[in-house]
C-alpha cells in the first residue's frame, strides 16, 4: 500500500543522505575482513533459508545466492494471492533494483488529493519531464524478482512452511519443516531470513513479539475504456472519516483496471463500511465498472520488538517495515531484504564461515536503523497530526497545494534522499502548516 504521499518528510534532518544509486543487476559482493572468530565451514558453504517470496524475500535470496551462500527460497504453492497494494514504487527503485520497464503498468505524473469536504489539490505540479511514479501489480513484480533470484543460484522451493525448529546449540542447524505436493519435508539450514509477511510464522517461532496491524482492503475494478482514459496517468488519494478514521483511501491505475481501496488500524471491523465510503466518493468515475478481484491483508504499523534472534533475521513486513502516513512498503521490503542478504554474505566471508546473532545485529540491524529509523518515527508523528480528525485532514490538503511542499516531498520520495531545501522556505512552510491547522480546526469547530 504505497504512494507518493510521504508528505512533509522534509521537516526533519535525515541521518543519512542517499544518492541516486548506480544500476546493477544483483547486489554487490562485499568482502569481509578475515579477523572473524566464527568457525569455518570446511567443504561446504553456509546454507540459508529465506521464507517468503515477495520483494523482501526475493531480494534477500538474490543477495545471498550471488554472494556465494547456498540459498533456498520458500514460496507457497500455489502462490498466495497478491496482497492489496497500491503498487506505487519510487523512481530510484527502478534503477537500484534494475526493474524492467515492461513491468510498469502506468507512468503516473499527476496525483490528486481530496479533502473530507471534497476539495481537491493537484499534487505533482513540480515533477520534471523525466520523473514519474511507477505503478505496477505486485504479482508481476514478485514473480520477476523470484525468477531473478533463481537465475543467480537461489533454489526455489514451492511449499508451505509449517514450522521452524530451533537449534540446540550455536552451531547446530535450524530445521525448516514444510509441505509440498501433499507431502511433508524438512531442510536443515544455518541461517534463516523471515520474509513471510505481517503474520510471520518465522517471527512467532523465535518469539519476536507482536505489533499492531492495519487492514488494507482493495477492489480491482475494470472500467469502460473512456473512463479508464481518465486515469491514464492520474492517481487519486482521499481522506476523511467516511473513508478511514486514521489513514487514506486510494484509486490507483493499473494496466487495464483501477485499484480502489482503503485501510485502517483502529476500526478494522468497519473496513467494508470505509470501502463503501470510497466507492461512494468516486461513484461517477467508476460507474459501469466490473469488480474483477477483491483483496484484504494485514499491514504492520511499526517494527517488531525483536527483529533478530540467534541466526534468524526478519525483513519486510515480517519486521514491520511499512511507513505510517504514506503506507509505503515495497521499497523498504526490497531494501531490507537486500541489506540483510549482503550482511550475511559479509559476516560469513562469502559463505565460508558460520554467522551469529552479533554479526546480524552489527551488519544488518544497526545499519538499517541508522538509515531509516528517524524516517519511520517522523512519519508516525505526521500520521498522528494530520490523520486524527477531518479538520487536520483539511489542513493537510491545503498544505499540499504549496509548490515548495510538493517539490520537497517528491524529491524525498522519488530518490529516498534528503532534498536540498531553502531554509527561508522551510521556515515559511512550518508557519503555513501551523496556520493551516489553526484555521482548519476553527472551520472544523464550526
Amino acid at each position: 500500500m504505497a504512494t507518493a504521499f510521504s508528505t512533509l518528510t522534509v521537516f526533519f534532518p535525515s541521518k543519512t543522505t542517499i544518492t541516486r544509486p548506480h544500476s546493477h543487476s544483483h547486489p554487490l559482493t562485499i568482502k569481509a575482513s578475515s579477523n572473524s572468530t566464527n568457525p569455518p565451514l570446511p567443504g561446504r558453504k553456509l546454507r540459508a533459508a529465506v521464507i517468503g517470496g515477495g520483494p523482501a524475500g526475493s531480494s534477500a535470496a538474490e543477495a545471498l545466492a550471488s554472494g556465494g551462500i547456498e540459498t533456498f527460497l520458500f514460496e507457497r504453492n500455489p502462490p498466495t494471492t497478491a496482497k492489496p497494494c497500491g503498487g506505487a514504487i519510487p523512481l530510484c527503485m527502478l534503477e537500484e533494483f534494475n526493474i524492467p520497464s515492461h513491468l510498469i503498468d502506468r507512468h503516473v505524473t499527476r496525483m490528486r488529493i481530496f479533502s473530507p469536504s471534497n476539495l481537491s489539490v493537484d499534487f505533482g505540479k513540480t515533477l520534471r519531464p523525466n520523473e514519474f511514479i511507477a505503478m505496477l501489480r505486485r504479482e508481476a513484480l514478485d514473480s520477476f524478482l523470484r525468477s531473478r533470484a533463481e537465475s543467480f543460484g537461489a533454489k526455489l522451493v514451492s511449499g508451505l512452511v509449517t514450522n521452524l525448529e530451533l537449534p540446540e546449540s550455536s552451531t547446530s542447524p535450524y530445521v525448516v519443516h514444510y509441505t509440498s505436493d501433499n507431502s511433508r519435508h524438512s531442510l536443515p539450514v544455518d541461517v534463516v531470513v523471515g520474509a513471510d509477511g505481517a503474520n510471520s510464522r518465522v517471527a512467532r517461532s523465535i518469539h519476536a513479539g507482536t505489533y499492531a496491524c492495519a487492514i488494507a482492503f482493495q477492489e480491482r475494478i475494470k472500467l469502460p475504456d473512456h473512463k479508464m482514459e481518465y486515469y491514464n496517468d492520474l492517481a487519486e488519494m482521499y481522506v476523511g472519516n467516511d473513508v478511514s478514521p486514521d489513514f487514506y483511501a486510494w484509486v490507483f491505475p493499473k494496466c487495464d483496471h483501477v485499484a480502489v481501496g482503503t485501510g485502517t488500524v483502529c476500526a478494522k471491523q468497519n473496513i467494508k463500511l470505509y470501502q463503501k465510503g470510497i466507492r461512494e466518493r468516486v461513484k461517477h468515475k467508476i460507474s459501469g465498472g466490473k469488480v474483477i478481484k477483491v483483496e484484504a491483508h494485514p499491514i504492520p504499523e511499526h517494527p517488531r520488538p525483536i527483529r533478530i534472534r540467534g541466526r534468524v533475521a526478519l525483513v519486510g513486513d515480517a519486521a514491520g517495515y511499512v511507513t505510517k502516513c504514506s503506507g509505503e512498503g515495497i521499497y523498504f521490503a526490497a531494501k531490507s531484504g537486500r541489506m540483510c542478504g549482503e550482511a550475511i554474505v559479509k559476516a560469513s566471508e562469502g559463505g565460508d564461515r558460520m554467522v551469529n546473532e552479533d554479526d546480524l545485529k552489527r551488519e544488518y540491524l544497526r545499519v538499517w536503523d541508522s538509515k531509516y529509523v528517524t524516517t519511520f518515527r517522523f512519519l508516525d508523528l505526521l500520521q498522528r497530526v494530520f490523520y486524527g480528525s477531518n479538520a487536520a485532514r483539511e489542513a493537510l490538503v491545503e498544505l499540499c497545494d504549496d509548490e515548495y511542499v510538493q517539490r520537497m516531498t517528491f524529491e524525498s520520495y522519488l530518490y529516498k534522499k534528503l532534498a536540498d531545501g531553502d531554509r527561508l522556505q522551510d521556515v515559511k512552510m512550518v508557519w503555513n502548516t501551523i496556520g493551516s491547522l489553526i484555521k482548519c480546526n476553527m472551520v472544523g469547530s464550526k
Side-chain angles (χ1 to χ4, degrees):
M1 188 163 53
T3 178
F5 289 97
S6 301
T7 309
L8 309 183
T9 57
V10 296
F11 280 0
F12 67 96
S14 173
K15 287 189 176 181
T16 181
T17 299
I18 305 171
T19 57
R20 301 181 194 185
H22 298 292
S23 175
H24 52 275
S25 58
H26 61 87
L28 299 175
T29 300
I30 301 172
K31 293 291 185 181
S33 60
S34 58
N35 59 359
S36 173
T37 59
N38 293 338
L41 300 169
R44 71 177 183 91
K45 288 288 190 176
L46 190 78
R47 176 180 276 196
V50 181
I51 315 301
S58 296
S59 297
E62 182 181 331
L64 289 163
S66 62
I69 310 295
E70 185 181 6
T71 305
F72 297 84
L73 175 59
F74 287 82
E75 175 63 13
R76 291 186 64 173
N77 184 27
T80 54
T81 302
K83 72 178 184 180
C85 175
I89 62 173
L91 198 58
C92 67
M93 185 174 178
L94 298 178
E95 185 176 8
E96 185 177 351
F97 287 85
N98 202 22
I99 306 300
S101 59
H102 72 264
L103 291 183
I104 303 172
D105 289 335
R106 300 282 173 172
H107 293 67
V108 168
T109 56
R110 297 183 299 139
M111 303 287 289
R112 191 166 291 154
I113 178 172
F114 290 82
S115 75
S117 62
N118 247 13
L119 296 175
S120 65
V121 164
D122 286 331
F123 198 91
K125 294 178 285 188
T126 63
L127 285 175
R128 301 180 184 93
N130 65 328
E131 292 180 331
F132 60 91
I133 299 161
M135 291 286 178
L136 43 70
R137 286 158 293 148
R138 274 292 303 274
E139 60 268 31
L141 175 66
D142 292 6
S143 178
F144 168 77
L145 292 175
R146 282 195 297 270
S147 295
R148 192 166 71 185
E150 265 195 295
S151 73
F152 281 103
K155 300 175 180 68
L156 183 60
V157 181
S158 297
L160 173 64
V161 173
T162 57
N163 183 42
L164 178 62
E165 184 180 330
L166 304 184
E168 296 178 356
S169 71
S170 61
T171 56
S172 58
Y174 290 83
V175 181
V176 179
H177 297 278
Y178 64 100
T179 58
S180 180
D181 297 327
N182 297 317
S183 299
R184 296 179 180 179
H185 305 271
S186 60
L187 178 73
V189 296
D190 301 305
V191 62
V192 177
V193 178
D196 49 341
N199 293 325
S200 171
R201 191 181 298 271
V202 174
R204 290 199 300 272
S205 296
I206 64 170
H207 306 290
T210 59
Y211 51 20
C213 278
I215 185 171
F217 189 95
Q218 176 175 275
E219 295 171 298
R220 300 196 193 195
I221 302 176
K222 191 171 181 61
L223 301 179
D225 290 344
H226 69 282
K227 293 202 169 182
M228 193 67 211
E229 182 63 28
Y230 172 77
Y231 287 108
N232 181 51
D233 61 353
L234 172 69
E236 293 179 332
M237 169 183 170
Y238 293 79
V239 291
N241 283 330
D242 58 327
V243 298
S244 176
D246 53 357
F247 204 58
Y248 64 87
W250 62 89
V251 182
F252 286 169
K254 305 296 182 179
C255 56
D256 60 353
H257 62 277
V258 291
V260 181
T262 184
T264 179
V265 64
C266 71
K268 293 189 281 288
Q269 71 278 7
N270 295 324
I271 189 66
K272 290 187 177 180
L273 179 64
Y274 300 128
Q275 182 67 12
K276 183 178 179 182
I278 179 58
R279 287 184 63 102
E280 178 66 22
R281 286 259 214 130
V282 300
K283 62 182 179 181
H284 299 301
K285 300 173 186 176
I286 65 172
S287 62
K290 178 182 178 182
V291 176
I292 58 176
K293 198 171 190 180
V294 179
E295 304 160 319
H297 202 274
I299 305 293
E301 279 290 290
H302 55 79
R304 283 192 190 273
I306 295 171
R307 287 166 285 161
I308 287 176
R309 174 161 279 162
R311 288 171 277 133
V312 179
L314 303 177
V315 296
D317 282 12
Y321 296 151
V322 176
T323 60
K324 284 195 174 181
C325 189
S326 68
E328 183 182 3
I330 298 177
Y331 175 82
F332 292 112
K335 187 69 172 180
S336 64
R338 174 175 284 183
M339 288 177 64
C340 183
E342 291 179 342
I344 294 170
V345 170
K346 181 178 179 180
S348 68
E349 299 184 7
D352 291 335
R353 291 182 177 273
M354 183 59 75
V355 297
N356 58 40
E357 181 175 313
D358 289 340
D359 294 329
L360 297 179
K361 287 182 176 179
R362 180 184 66 253
E363 303 295 348
Y364 161 51
L365 199 57
R366 291 174 190 167
V367 177
W368 173 269
D369 285 347
S370 71
K371 284 180 176 290
Y372 299 118
V373 71
T374 303
T375 299
F376 277 69
R377 288 174 179 171
F378 190 78
L379 289 174
D380 186 2
L381 174 63
L382 286 183
Q383 181 167 0
R384 295 173 188 270
V385 171
F386 286 109
Y387 289 171
S389 68
N390 274 352
R393 297 181 189 107
E394 293 285 351
L396 170 65
V397 175
E398 179 180 279
L399 196 60
C400 285
D401 197 32
D402 185 284
E403 290 195 10
Y404 182 72
V405 171
Q406 293 191 22
R407 181 172 72 83
M408 300 299 283
T409 298
F410 274 114
E411 279 288 311
S412 299
Y413 171 78
L414 291 176
Y415 303 112
K416 289 293 172 282
K417 69 180 183 66
L418 186 64
D420 294 326
D422 180 290
R423 295 306 166 213
L424 182 61
Q425 289 292 332
D426 289 343
V427 173
K428 179 181 176 182
M429 183 168 59
V430 172
W431 281 111
N432 286 345
T433 302
I434 295 172
S436 293
L437 286 169
I438 293 173
K439 182 173 73 173
C440 289
N441 270 301
M442 289 174 62
V443 172
S445 66
K446 294 179 181 180

